[in-house]
Every structure is written in structure tokens, then in C-alpha cells.
Amino acid sequence: AHEVPEEFRPAEWRKFSLVCAANGLTALTKGRFGDILEHPHGPKVVWEILSEATRVASAEGVDLGGSFADDGLAFLTELGPARRSSMLRDVERGRRTEVAVLNGELVARSDRVGIAAPVNRLVSLVLDMHNRRVATGGEAA
């Protein structure tokens, strides 16, 4: 398991948020990032994950800038539509994902500061259920 620092600096928050969006959504949808961006809802869901992260970071005293969700979506769009995340590979290979230290961590932080993070919570729920099925040999615990 990875150790998550108690406090993130702005650069760490940005990277963390981008990884939550790219890894979480590719693992959840079992598709490449480009497939997500091509879907009518895709860019907005990516933007929502980044916006939730921006609000949680702000509540923790870290200003990512008002345009972070837009800038982050543009960055991920340029990064490469064929990109396959490590979490997607984990899901495809029937292995546990790192969702607890990504979207799950964002949700835990959102709960501590009282900021809603429903998209990250859904990503965390679905991928945690995957992890539980893996851990129990196919049965959702």
C-alpha cells in the first residue's frame, strides 16, 4: 500500500487530481482515455472530477486556480487518447486497483472538509467493489 502525505502542495494536488481522473475513469469504463473523451458525457465527467478536487484542495487551503479543471482537461486531452492507465490494466488482469489512495483518498478528504465529491465517490465505490470481488475470488464482499 502507498503512503499518502497528510498535506499536499499545489503541484502534488494537481498531479493527484489528474491521476484520479485519468486512472479512475479508464478503470471504471474499461476504455482508453480517448474513448472517454469521445463520449458525449466524457469531457464533462473528467471536468467534474477535477472540479471536485479543486474544491477539496481549496477547503484544505491549497489554491489550484479557478481554471484548473479546464486546464487539466486540456492537459489530459493532449496527453494522448490511446493512453491506458495502470488501473485499467489492473482491472483487465483481474487485479486490485489503487483506487483507495486515489479517488478514495479524495473522497476521504472531501468528507473531512465537508465538500461534496459525488463523481469521485462513485468511481471509488465501483472500483472498491471490483477490489472486493478480486479479494474474495469473485464474490462482492
Side-chain angles (χ1 to χ4, degrees):
H2 288 77
E3 294 279 330
V4 178
E6 203 164 305
E7 292 185 25
F8 285 167
R9 294 184 302 272
E12 292 168 325
W13 255 112
R14 288 185 188 97
K15 182 175 182 182
F16 171 73
S17 304
L18 294 166
V19 173
C20 282
N23 284 24
L25 289 177
T26 55
L28 190 67
T29 62
K30 300 181 180 81
R32 295 168 305 141
F33 199 71
D35 299 330
I36 292 165
L37 293 174
E38 289 171 7
H39 189 281
H41 302 312
K44 180 67 172 174
V45 173
V46 172
W47 187 89
E48 289 290 350
I49 286 176
L50 299 175
S51 293
E52 290 175 6
T54 301
R55 290 191 295 274
V56 173
S58 179
E60 287 192 0
V62 177
D63 182 10
L64 299 184
S67 65
F68 174 67
D70 294 323
D71 297 344
L73 175 58
F75 173 79
L76 289 172
T77 300
E78 283 179 29
L79 201 55
R83 194 163 186 84
R84 300 171 61 75
S85 73
S86 58
M87 277 181 35
L88 170 57
R89 288 192 292 275
D90 289 339
V91 167
E92 290 173 339
R93 294 171 183 162
R95 295 192 307 230
R96 290 174 55 86
T97 70
E98 294 182 328
V99 70
V101 297
L102 294 171
N103 306 83
E105 175 67 18
L106 200 150
V107 169
R109 288 169 181 264
S110 78
D111 289 343
R112 283 196 295 272
V113 296
I115 299 290
V119 179
N120 281 282
R121 190 176 306 277
L122 179 60
V123 172
S124 183
L125 167 69
V126 175
L127 293 177
D128 189 54
M129 293 299 292
H130 162 83
N131 286 352
R132 290 174 183 209
R133 280 190 296 275
V134 170
T136 59
E139 296 297 317

